[in-house]
Amino acid sequence: MNERNLFIVRFGEAALKGQNKPYFEKLLVERIRKLVKRLGSIEVRRKEGLIFVRADKSIPQEDIIREIGKVFGIASISPAVECPSDLEEIGRAAVEYMNRLIQEKGVKTFKVEAKRADKSFPVKSPDIAKKVGASVLKGCKVLKVDVHDPDVHLFVDLRRDVTYLYQQKIKGLGGLPLGSNGKGLVLLSGGIDSPVAAWMMARRGMQIEAVHYHSYPYTSERAQEKVEELAGILAVYCSRFKMHVINMLPIQEQIAAHCPAEEMTIQLRRFMMRVGEKIAAKNDCSMLVTGESLGQVASQTAEALCVTDASVTMPVMRPLIAMDKTEIMDLARHIGTYEKSIEPYEDCCTVFLPKHPLTKPRLDRIERSEAGLDVERLISEAVESEETIDIYPRID
């Protein structure tokens, strides 16, 4: 029964969704199919609360595991073999399976754990484990049982017609299936934080789009290329998405000419949020997403965040808000954006940067300074400068 390689894929939180569970399962199956399609002939089906992936043996198992491992909502993946749900058949399959592991990995000890999903089967789970273990000991003379620290933990998952044997549970990304939780617009820069924030929201099932702000010619074309490359890394997890590119230089020049220098950062941030809100509304995004972390820089103090939020009515999600920089950097390394993020290309926030930015701005004073600006015209012109770029997964 094992002409093709088999992988058992388990859900994360999607398994807890009650009557909505089939909807989440369908999203996961579609996402897996999309990612593994380029590898060759692969079948993806859902059955009995699991997803089964079957692939030609010519396709390397590690390639399939890698692609499935990019799917949000997956708890774990197990390369497996299958056999009929008959104790003698299970015993024979277990011996064959363990002999292969002896040859490939030199294993010497094992433990069997059985689960009887089919409760009508006449033998209970502990006894199934004992009988399969006895078959392995008889058929694999070099092996010994070690219930505390075995080289191989052999799992036996017995179902109505088919039993699955496996020895690995490769951890998935968890979270919720992409597209199950609305759409948000990420304010994406070339730094470390915002790509991580985008990834975290996508992991909660949110479809993302991005807006990127530049100040050309103060910022270089290479700086924008860097952001596009970062977005391509995100698209590996988030699928293809749009990035809206906005020129902020006219706004920055007006702020510099009419507002106190120390207000530049907070004023610019408020305009970014307003422009982002307009872009989000045009593209059916229900919220803004930023990479801000409380207290990390002057514009991210509690007071500054309150003043920033007062510029828009749309909800603002800040998934990194309580994380420290080390935690954010570790996650950036994990998802593959860190090395690109630390490349030394400027972004628009470094243009006209004040020596002593406000850390505790007051909304009334900020609004009083803004009174000298034609806010609506500046926002409208910025939105009109929009360039839209299709972001595709970056494949190295």
Side-chain angles (χ1 to χ4, degrees):
M1 298 181 68
N2 298 301
E3 293 86 4
R4 310 183 84 193
N5 283 329
L6 170 67
F7 305 84
I8 299 173
V9 182
R10 302 172 191 85
F11 314 142
E13 294 177 55
L16 307 176
K17 294 302 178 180
Q19 293 182 350
N20 292 323
K21 183 179 175 182
Y23 165 71
F24 288 88
E25 291 178 356
K26 184 179 179 181
L27 288 176
L28 287 172
V29 168
E30 289 174 352
R31 181 70 177 138
I32 293 171
R33 283 176 178 160
K34 186 173 182 178
L35 285 175
V36 302
K37 182 179 179 181
R38 68 182 184 85
L39 297 177
S41 177
I42 299 177
E43 176 187 69
V44 184
R45 293 176 179 262
R46 56 189 174 106
K47 181 182 177 183
E48 297 180 316
L50 296 170
I51 295 174
F52 295 93
V53 178
R54 290 180 170 85
D56 286 349
K57 289 192 173 182
S58 60
I59 304 172
Q61 289 197 37
E62 57 269 23
D63 290 352
I64 298 170
I65 292 168
R66 184 184 65 249
E67 294 304 313
I68 298 174
K70 298 171 184 175
V71 178
F72 295 122
I74 298 302
S76 64
I77 309 156
S78 294
V81 297
E82 56 187 339
C83 66
S85 289
D86 172 85
L87 277 178
E88 289 188 8
E89 293 285 351
I90 296 169
R92 279 194 286 269
V95 170
E96 181 181 341
Y97 186 78
M98 294 304 298
N99 272 324
R100 189 170 71 249
L101 291 178
I102 291 168
Q103 294 175 2
E104 293 175 356
K105 299 184 178 181
V107 300
K108 296 180 180 179
T109 60
F110 76 105
K111 173 185 178 181
V112 179
E113 181 176 324
K115 180 177 72 173
R116 184 185 56 151
D118 176 15
K119 299 306 180 186
S120 67
F121 193 80
V123 184
K124 293 184 178 180
S125 297
D127 294 324
I128 293 172
K130 290 177 184 177
K131 290 179 180 296
V132 173
S135 295
V136 171
L137 286 172
K138 184 177 179 180
C140 307
K141 301 296 185 183
V142 299
L143 289 181
K144 293 182 179 180
V145 173
D146 184 343
V147 297
H148 300 294
D149 186 26
D151 295 335
V152 170
H153 198 146
L154 177 62
F155 295 94
V156 178
D157 185 354
L158 187 146
R159 297 181 177 252
R160 185 174 299 276
D161 299 312
V162 181
T163 292
Y164 303 98
L165 306 176
Y166 55 91
Q167 56 99 15
Q168 285 181 293
K169 289 184 178 180
I170 302 165
K171 189 176 180 181
L173 291 174
L176 294 170
L178 189 69
S180 64
N181 230 345
K183 185 163 69 168
L185 183 74
V186 180
L187 277 63
L188 187 64
S189 74
I192 295 171
D193 302 337
S194 59
V196 175
W199 185 90
M200 289 181 70
M201 293 305 292
R203 185 174 178 269
R204 299 307 304 159
M206 177 168 283
Q207 200 84 37
I208 68 164
E209 290 196 12
V211 58
H212 172 64
Y213 301 108
H214 69 83
S215 301
Y216 185 79
Y218 288 92
T219 55
S220 66
E221 292 183 3
R222 183 65 190 94
Q224 180 174 320
E225 290 171 3
K226 170 188 171 181
V227 177
E228 292 178 30
E229 290 169 7
L230 278 169
I233 297 171
L234 291 175
V236 169
Y237 304 96
C238 306
S239 192
R240 171 186 169 184
F241 64 89
K242 291 181 179 179
M243 186 168 78
H244 310 274
V245 181
I246 302 292
N247 181 9
M248 293 297 287
L249 183 58
I251 291 176
Q252 290 173 285
E253 291 174 335
Q254 288 298 304
I255 295 172
H258 297 95
C259 299
E262 64 272 16
E263 293 181 4
M264 169 58 77
T265 302
I266 191 69
Q267 291 281 12
L268 177 59
R269 197 68 185 168
R270 280 167 61 85
F271 272 98
M272 287 179 170
M273 300 295 274
R274 287 163 166 152
V275 173
E277 185 176 45
K278 297 287 187 184
I279 300 295
K282 286 201 306 179
N283 292 277
D284 298 319
C285 297
S286 59
M287 59 189 65
L288 301 175
V289 179
T290 79
E292 291 162 312
S293 171
L294 187 61
Q296 188 177 124
V297 294
S299 64
Q300 297 175 23
T301 63
E303 294 86 351
L305 294 177
C306 288
V307 170
T308 299
D309 281 359
S311 65
V312 294
T313 58
M314 184 172 282
V316 182
M317 298 292 107
R318 295 182 171 94
L320 311 185
I321 193 67
M323 297 175 68
D324 64 35
K325 195 67 177 183
T326 300
E327 292 172 320
I328 298 168
M329 290 165 62
D330 287 345
L331 192 46
R333 292 187 183 96
H334 175 68
I335 68 178
T337 56
Y338 178 78
E339 293 300 328
K340 180 58 61 177
S341 290
I342 62 174
E343 289 182 1
Y345 295 100
E346 70 288 337
D347 62 38
C348 69
C349 291
T350 63
V351 179
F352 304 114
L353 188 68
K355 289 184 178 180
H356 303 289
L358 286 177
T359 58
K360 296 184 178 182
R362 285 178 46 180
L363 181 58
D364 58 338
R365 292 181 180 177
I366 295 298
E367 289 178 336
R368 192 155 50 244
S369 296
E370 282 180 354
L373 302 172
D374 189 342
V375 173
E376 292 305 318
R377 179 182 63 82
L378 290 170
I379 293 172
S380 178
E381 290 177 353
V383 172
E384 288 174 4
S385 77
E386 174 191 1
E387 175 191 359
T388 301
I389 300 171
D390 287 323
I391 300 297
Y392 294 89
R394 179 180 173 184
I395 302 174
D396 292 324

